Amino acid sequence: MQNVVICVVVSLVAFLLGSIPCGVIVSKLFFGKDVRDEGSGNIGFTNSLRSMGKVGGAAVFIGDFVKGLAAAAIGLYLAPMFFVDASFPLTTNPAEFTAALATFFATMGHIFCPWLGWKGGKGISCAFGASFVSMSVPAACLLFASFLLVMLLAKYVSAGSITAAVLYPVAAFVTHPTSPLPAIILGVAGLVVVWAHRSNIVRIVHGNERKIGSSKKGDK
């Protein structure tokens, strides 16, 4: 029972960490405006970059990255300290399970922010930060490299994000070859991030997505 309680607490803490609306906080506190009133209205990195410039965008990215990293670290390093004879099905290491659980719920908190009417960002920055802990540093760096490569080639930030999210489940299974359950949880998190980009996918298909450097508005 104690282990179940710990998993519930980790999930709740991770969700609350993920739900911190960094884009709104940075825009209101340092730029005197609400990022939701700018551009696409999204609180994530891309719209923050467009509406607040490089400094504001970087601050939002770092905030979203760190909250994902912190949530996964709690799951990997702190939660297992309180386990009692822990064993989870399809998991060789209980810490991998709680790290994956924390990654999933932090990402969900970012996408479905309770403080903003259950509307948040698209999850990629938060999930990327968490992957440094819940997967591995090399895997996380490869995910980021895929993001950069596709973004630069396609000239769409969203295309890079979608590519990294699609590869997220692959990276999860590669880094957890003997722990299917954590890999599945992480994989689902990546697929939800892909789902959060569904409007971007439609616009890319129809050629309406906003490219890097474009002054076109209306990216919803």
Side-chain angles (χ1 to χ4, degrees):
M1 184 62 182
Q2 180 174 326
N3 294 342
V4 174
V5 172
I6 292 170
C7 289
V8 171
V9 171
V10 167
S11 300
L12 180 59
V13 170
F15 184 84
L16 292 176
L17 276 173
S19 71
I20 298 173
C22 297
V24 174
I25 293 172
V26 171
S27 63
K28 286 189 173 184
L29 197 59
F30 298 103
F31 292 84
K33 59 182 177 181
D34 192 330
V35 70
R36 292 173 294 175
D37 297 328
E38 304 282 328
S40 68
N42 191 272
I43 68 170
F45 165 70
T46 303
N47 193 51
S48 297
L49 179 66
R50 291 169 179 163
S51 62
M52 294 182 282
K54 294 179 180 179
V55 174
V60 172
F61 174 79
I62 292 171
D64 289 340
F65 177 96
V66 169
K67 69 186 186 184
L69 182 73
I74 289 172
L76 185 66
Y77 301 115
L78 184 59
M81 295 172 61
F82 301 94
F83 282 146
V84 177
D85 298 324
S87 64
F88 297 96
L90 303 177
T91 306
T92 55
N93 184 347
E96 292 182 348
F97 173 74
T98 45
L101 204 62
T103 297
F104 176 81
F105 279 100
T107 305
M108 296 307 103
H110 182 84
I111 297 173
F112 305 104
C113 180
W115 323 117
L116 304 177
W118 302 101
K119 296 179 180 179
K122 297 187 177 179
I124 191 64
S125 299
C126 183
F128 174 59
S131 69
F132 274 86
V133 175
S134 58
M135 293 187 195
S136 69
V137 173
C141 288
L142 286 174
L143 287 172
F144 187 62
S146 69
F147 161 77
L148 284 178
L149 179 62
V150 174
M151 179 186 70
L152 294 174
L153 291 176
K155 304 299 182 183
Y156 294 129
V157 174
S158 58
S161 299
I162 293 164
T163 300
V166 168
L167 292 176
Y168 209 83
V170 178
F173 279 93
V174 169
T175 54
H176 296 80
T178 60
S179 294
L181 184 57
I184 291 170
I185 295 171
L186 291 169
V188 172
L191 294 178
V192 176
V193 173
V194 175
W195 172 85
H197 285 83
R198 62 196 182 282
S199 60
N200 301 92
I201 295 172
V202 171
R203 287 195 298 272
I204 290 174
V205 171
H206 290 90
N208 299 323
E209 181 70 317
R210 181 174 173 180
K211 290 192 174 184
I212 297 173
S214 170
S215 61
K216 180 181 177 181
K217 295 185 178 182
D219 174 15
K220 299 296 181 183

